[in-house]
Amino acid sequence: MEAYHGMKKNTPPLLPVPSQSRTSKKKHDQLQYVLSPPGLSIDPTMVSQGIKRKRDHESSDMNIEPPLTTDMIMENARQILKRVAKNSDQINIGSRKKATIGIFGKSGEGKSSLLSAVLGKKNLLPSGCFGACTAVVTQVEANLNDSNYKAEIELFSQEEWENELKDLFINIKDDSEDRNEDLFEIAKEKIKALYGVDANKKTLEELKNNKKFAEIKTFLSISKKIISNSNLSEFTNDVASYIQHSELRPGDWYWPLVKSVTIMIPDCRELLEHIVLLDLPGTGDCNKIRDDLWKSKLRECSSVWIVSDIKRATTDRDPWGILKHCIEELGPGGKCKKINFICTKTDDINTEAYIRCANLKIDTISEDKGKTCILHRNDQAKTIVKEKFEDSEIKKIFITDNQFQVFTVSSNAFFDHSLNLESSETEIPKLQDDLRNLNKSINRELTRDYVNKVKGTLLLIQSGQLDPDKKMIEMKVNTLTKFEENLRKSLIELDKYFDNISNVLEQHLSNGVDESVQLCVASTKAMIAPNKDGRGFHKILGALCKNYGCYWSKNRDVVRDLNKTLAKYLHKHIDEDFYQIFPVTGKTGKSVQEQIDKFSIIQSDSAYPSCDILDNIQNFIKIEETKLKEALNRDIVDMKMDIYSSIKITILNQMASCYQQAAAVTGIGSMKMRQELLISTVDKIKQDMFNEAKVEVLKKLNNLKLDIKSALETGLQEAIERSKSKTSNNKRKDVSREIEQLERLLDQLYD
């Protein structure tokens, strides 16, 4: 991966993604270049043949060398550190959680073909694996260890499956007129997929005598199944039964037993080294374990791709409905910074019908009517989708225009050039660039962090290089004492900031408690006791109680979440300030991230005496500050998710025993009994429940403050103590040139 300096524009598309392998000669040549890049001098002992240090005046006469890759920059920094410092392996390269891109889309929308095209390999994923199976969370990432295709399949425990099987048979044996068809169809699909064509007509006891039942019991004892194969076609066939649903061959599919699947693809380092592509199935499930996993994964998404067939993209309400119900997980309760709406199958068009429908003028159409119509429809779709986004609730959590983009893609035309679309017109290369640039950005950040760690170590070494006189020692002590004083003052200012936002949120939460207490009973009645025809609703209510207050329809187009309904007034009152305090992107002037960015124990460069030793110490402190603040700003995203979701979680916990009691109610009149139990419980505990939710938010905000203060105080106090330490005479060495080399490496990363 190259640093941005000198990077070519218009990077060609991946057709396919090239292998990472190198010949031995290329490895040797690259090692020579890594150890002796342009403008950098490395110790002669670093390679078998001596490499002379390059003189500065010679550099202008040399040919321009290609830019260093991040791998080369990292290796140079590692070798510099190894040459000048003992225990150099104590500085870790560092790691961070991978960026997650969530992918929405129903079965048949073209997700499998899209992912295969973006990753540069036709038929990479089995057709229908993304979104077709009922609710398996599937993620795709790079295999960085070997050249095999690999799948890690997480299974239900035997106890979890036995409990679900009982529930499936309750639904499948329900032959009443008002049975819930979604739950009935899901149950029938799972039973037939696992146990065979007529298994849904048997009793649970009869099924237990089936040979397949014993096989499944043994199979679930492994908890996780691993599939690995160097042959793509064989791998696809091996993994299909765990992630793909089909009406064919009933009894040969295992997806109902699967919680989640991780597929690892070789030769994708350029695109997916630091990225996970995560399928968020457009199909619901009555299983709470899968539903909780779905929501937790959604909160991890830093970006979302909505995939929809272009023929339905402008009219289909499902993607927007799902996003609307997930706005809490994506916005204030999540980390989503960007949405890509991807219209697929753009090559699938009836040219003559489109010309009539769009009322295109014949004289404006080129000889290639098909291509003209495709591109015209693409433009129209982009305009309509963007207009729908501007009018949606989701718009309020995204500030800038580039946070929502529309792509019109053709996976078929990307591979099949006979369809007469240029590669760029399929827009697959744009999505590849999107992944590539994100991946490079994360790689640059990790490389920069490591180089700065090395630079900080060398600055400390250099600060002890000279024999300081008595006056210099006094200046050093005074400067470090001033840093300690500044640290105390800065922590007090941070306290004041958090006290202020806590007071603001407390006032809004109090107003939210009052409104919640006033309206919660009416809101509960509206959700669980609708005035319209209630045929079939008792099954929905039963599923809601069983799933601790939440019901998703099979296609996730109908959502009933009592906990979210009860939490909405508290959220309404804090949302505006919460967006200001924890913005998804950008600056608000009030955010925690901005407050941390301002935090410094070096108040101004001119406030301290200037000399080499003190300059090195001050630069070391700056590096440590930056490292701490960047780590905290990443952690804050997870912490704020915890704060925001605590309202709903507190309500769920307060209502949990009621949901269990209501789910246990059966027989004639059970729906009315459940409704009365839920309504009376809400009315009884409302004051305590909402007050506790308020207290929990403020408690978690205070914990955030304490965590941030502790991290800053501990980290910077440690940096100050390290600056106080003296270097003995026999360890003194001049590393000023190595520091300059590291600065040149950083320049390439920032360029």
Side-chain angles (χ1 to χ4, degrees):
M1 251 167 286
E2 294 181 0
Y4 271 13
H5 180 66
M7 190 168 65
K8 295 179 181 179
K9 295 182 179 179
N10 301 320
T11 306
L14 302 179
L15 288 167
V17 175
S19 171
Q20 305 290 303
S21 63
R22 302 281 192 273
T23 65
S24 59
K25 181 181 184 302
K26 284 184 178 178
K27 285 185 177 179
H28 174 76
D29 293 343
Q30 186 184 39
L31 179 62
Q32 294 287 335
Y33 185 69
V34 166
L35 296 180
S36 185
L40 292 179
S41 55
I42 304 299
D43 192 277
T45 61
M46 288 167 56
V47 288
S48 58
Q49 296 181 346
I51 301 173
K52 294 182 179 180
R53 290 179 178 260
K54 298 178 181 178
R55 294 183 175 87
D56 292 339
H57 71 270
E58 294 176 339
S59 62
S60 60
D61 299 328
M62 299 182 63
N63 293 329
I64 297 175
E65 297 282 357
L68 295 180
T69 66
T70 50
D71 287 343
M72 292 175 179
I73 291 173
M74 186 86 77
E75 182 60 24
N76 269 276
R78 188 186 290 110
Q79 293 293 346
I80 290 171
L81 179 65
K82 185 177 180 180
R83 193 171 76 245
V84 302
K86 290 184 177 181
N87 301 322
S88 60
D89 56 348
Q90 290 183 0
I91 297 184
N92 298 321
I93 293 175
S95 62
R96 67 181 60 174
K97 195 178 293 183
K98 291 186 177 184
T100 301
I101 298 178
I103 305 173
F104 286 103
K106 296 188 298 184
S107 175
E109 300 297 302
K111 282 198 287 184
S112 295
S113 299
L114 171 68
L115 267 289
S116 295
V118 168
L119 297 178
K121 295 182 181 181
K122 194 173 184 179
N123 300 322
L124 174 63
L125 299 172
S127 176
C129 84
F130 269 73
C133 59
T134 304
V136 175
V137 174
T138 308
Q139 62 186 45
V140 176
E141 56 189 63
N143 181 359
L144 303 175
N145 299 318
D146 55 47
S147 59
N148 281 3
Y149 297 88
K150 186 177 179 181
E152 292 184 354
I153 302 167
E154 185 183 1
L155 304 170
F156 285 110
S157 69
Q158 186 176 323
E159 182 182 358
E160 288 169 341
W161 175 245
E162 287 179 356
N163 289 335
E164 178 163 355
L165 195 57
K166 291 176 185 177
D167 294 334
L168 293 177
F169 266 89
I170 291 174
N171 291 320
I172 212 167
K173 297 306 178 183
D174 181 5
D175 56 1
S176 63
E177 290 185 8
D178 57 351
R179 74 182 178 196
N180 184 281
E181 291 300 325
D182 281 348
L183 299 181
F184 176 77
E185 288 299 325
I186 290 172
K188 188 168 70 171
E189 284 177 2
K190 290 182 178 182
I191 298 297
K192 290 174 66 176
L194 276 171
Y195 299 104
V197 63
D198 292 324
N200 59 302
K201 299 177 182 177
K202 298 178 180 179
T203 65
L204 179 56
E205 291 304 316
E206 288 173 335
L207 204 63
K208 288 181 178 180
N209 296 323
N210 189 311
K211 180 182 177 182
K212 190 68 178 288
F213 191 90
E215 290 177 6
I216 289 174
K217 186 174 182 179
T218 302
F219 176 66
L220 290 177
S221 65
I222 63 175
S223 73
K224 180 180 287 188
K225 182 173 178 62
I226 307 295
I227 296 174
S228 182
N229 200 315
S230 60
N231 183 283
L232 173 58
S233 178
E234 292 176 4
F235 172 79
T236 301
N237 291 334
D238 290 343
V239 81
S241 63
Y242 299 98
I243 56 180
Q244 184 179 14
H245 171 62
S246 173
E247 296 294 335
L248 303 175
R249 302 186 356 250
D252 289 340
W253 306 99
Y254 290 88
W255 59 262
L257 305 175
V258 176
K259 285 184 185 178
S260 65
V261 177
T262 299
I263 296 177
M264 285 162 276
I265 309 298
D267 303 328
C268 285
R269 185 172 186 256
E270 185 185 10
L271 297 181
L272 297 182
E273 181 180 7
H274 303 290
I275 298 172
V276 172
L277 301 176
L278 175 70
D279 174 37
L280 295 167
T283 306
D285 197 297
C286 55
N287 182 277
K288 186 178 185 299
I289 296 171
R290 282 205 186 103
D291 192 55
D292 288 346
L293 180 63
W294 191 91
K295 291 176 182 177
S296 67
K297 291 287 187 181
L298 179 60
R299 283 192 288 269
E300 293 296 319
C301 294
S302 56
S303 179
V304 166
W305 291 3
I306 306 171
V307 181
S308 183
D309 188 325
I310 194 169
K311 293 179 180 178
R312 297 187 289 273
T314 57
T315 57
D316 193 359
R317 294 182 298 174
D318 286 353
W320 301 100
I322 293 172
L323 279 176
K324 177 182 176 182
H325 292 297
C326 298
I327 191 171
E328 177 183 315
E329 283 80 12
L330 289 174
K335 58 174 72 171
C336 183
K337 297 180 180 179
K338 186 177 181 182
I339 293 179
N340 288 341
F341 196 107
I342 303 171
C343 306
T344 57
K345 304 183 182 181
T346 60
D347 60 282
D348 184 9
I349 192 168
N350 184 321
T351 302
E352 298 302 326
Y354 185 78
I355 290 173
R356 290 194 302 271
C357 179
N359 196 26
L360 296 180
K361 304 296 182 184
I362 300 297
D363 55 354
T364 64
I365 301 176
S366 64
E367 291 183 7
D368 191 341
K369 292 182 180 180
K371 182 173 182 176
T372 301
C373 291
I374 287 172
L375 297 180
H376 183 274
R377 183 175 66 174
N378 289 353
D379 289 339
Q380 294 297 307
K382 286 182 178 181
T383 300
I384 295 172
V385 170
K386 286 178 180 177
E387 288 174 351
K388 290 187 73 172
F389 171 73
E390 291 295 326
D391 295 335
S392 71
E393 290 184 35
I394 310 160
K395 169 66 177 174
K396 69 179 183 180
I397 68 174
F398 295 98
I399 302 170
T400 60
D401 292 337
N402 64 0
Q403 289 178 267
F404 181 85
Q405 294 186 346
V406 184
F407 296 81
T408 48
V409 307
S410 171
S411 303
N412 287 337
F414 181 72
F415 290 113
D416 186 353
H417 302 294
S418 68
L419 295 176
N420 295 328
L421 285 179
E422 298 292 330
S423 179
S424 61
E425 291 169 337
T426 69
E427 299 200 4
I428 293 295
K430 287 185 178 181
L431 288 170
Q432 290 177 333
D433 284 342
D434 214 38
L435 292 178
R436 186 183 292 111
N437 291 334
L438 175 58
N439 205 41
K440 283 181 177 178
S441 175
I442 297 171
N443 211 311
R444 279 200 318 279
E445 289 175 8
L446 289 169
T447 304
R448 182 200 63 201
D449 291 348
Y450 179 75
V451 177
N452 271 322
K453 286 179 185 177
V454 175
K455 182 183 173 185
T457 299
L458 268 60
L459 285 168
L460 273 187
I461 293 173
Q462 188 66 12
S463 69
Q465 184 263 329
L466 298 173
D467 279 320
D469 55 24
K470 185 175 180 180
K471 183 178 180 181
M472 180 60 64
I473 293 174
E474 185 178 342
M475 289 170 60
K476 179 178 177 180
V477 170
N478 290 339
T479 299
L480 293 175
T481 301
K482 183 66 174 175
F483 287 163
E484 290 178 318
E485 183 183 335
N486 290 345
L487 177 57
R488 289 191 292 271
K489 289 180 179 179
S490 296
L491 290 171
I492 290 171
E493 289 301 311
L494 196 60
D495 248 332
K496 291 178 181 177
Y497 165 78
F498 272 100
D499 287 345
N500 179 56
I501 62 173
S502 180
N503 290 335
V504 170
L505 286 179
E506 182 175 15
Q507 182 58 53
H508 291 313
L509 285 166
S510 296
N511 294 336
V513 169
D514 292 341
E515 188 170 5
S516 297
V517 169
Q518 182 180 354
L519 300 176
C520 63
V521 172
S523 298
T524 302
K525 288 179 179 178
M527 168 161 286
I528 68 169
N531 292 325
K532 60 184 180 180
D533 184 7
R535 287 170 60 86
F537 186 75
H538 82 281
K539 283 292 182 181
I540 293 176
L541 185 60
L544 179 145
C545 295
K546 179 184 163 188
N547 205 29
Y548 289 87
C550 183
Y551 165 80
W552 291 77
S553 66
K554 183 181 178 183
N555 292 323
R556 292 194 182 272
D557 53 348
V558 177
V559 181
R560 292 182 181 272
D561 190 337
L562 182 55
N563 303 312
K564 189 173 183 178
T565 296
L566 293 172
K568 69 179 179 180
Y569 298 111
L570 281 165
H571 281 150
K572 184 185 80 171
H573 280 273
I574 68 168
D575 272 355
E576 184 176 346
D577 280 285
F578 204 87
Y579 282 120
Q580 296 286 313
I581 297 167
F582 300 106
V584 176
T585 58
K587 296 182 178 181
T588 64
K590 301 178 181 179
S591 72
V592 174
Q593 290 94 328
E594 289 170 88
Q595 194 68 25
I596 290 174
D597 288 339
K598 290 191 298 184
F599 189 99
S600 179
I601 62 174
I602 303 173
Q603 296 183 344
S604 70
D605 292 340
S606 61
Y608 310 97
S610 180
C611 67
D612 288 344
I613 292 178
L614 296 183
D615 287 347
N616 288 328
I617 291 174
Q618 185 167 316
N619 288 332
F620 166 71
I621 296 292
K622 284 181 179 178
I623 288 173
E624 292 300 296
E625 279 189 344
T626 300
K627 182 175 69 176
L628 282 167
K629 291 191 285 190
E630 288 179 348
L632 279 172
N633 279 330
R634 288 191 296 269
D635 293 342
I636 283 170
V637 177
D638 294 324
M639 296 177 189
K640 69 111 173 184
M641 290 159 54
D642 192 33
I643 294 170
Y644 194 83
S645 62
S646 67
I647 294 176
K648 185 176 169 182
I649 291 172
T650 300
I651 290 171
L652 187 155
N653 291 336
Q654 289 285 306
M655 292 289 296
S657 60
C658 175
Y659 291 137
Q660 291 173 338
Q661 293 176 41
V665 175
T666 58
I668 298 174
S670 59
M671 183 173 80
K672 186 175 181 181
M673 292 169 65
R674 285 171 175 162
Q675 290 169 335
E676 290 176 349
L677 180 58
L678 290 169
I679 292 168
S680 63
T681 300
V682 168
D683 192 32
K684 179 181 178 181
I685 68 173
K686 58 186 179 183
Q687 190 72 53
D688 290 340
M689 177 170 65
F690 295 124
N691 274 325
E692 185 170 337
K694 166 190 165 182
V695 169
E696 192 65 21
V697 170
L698 297 174
K699 176 183 172 183
K700 288 185 178 295
L701 181 64
N702 188 61
N703 289 341
L704 172 62
K705 177 189 77 172
L706 296 176
D707 288 344
I708 291 173
K709 287 181 62 180
S710 176
L712 290 170
E713 184 173 15
T714 302
L716 291 176
Q717 190 61 55
E718 181 182 328
I720 292 171
E721 293 301 321
R722 290 175 64 192
S723 300
K724 291 178 181 178
S725 63
K726 297 179 180 179
T727 307
S728 62
N729 290 334
N730 63 347
K731 293 182 180 178
R732 288 176 183 164
K733 58 180 72 176
D734 184 358
V735 293
S736 58
R737 187 160 187 177
E738 282 76 9
I739 292 173
E740 290 178 5
Q741 292 169 359
L742 292 170
E743 287 172 349
R744 292 191 194 112
L745 292 176
L746 289 169
D747 286 343
Q748 288 217 34
L749 287 169
Y750 284 113
D751 235 350

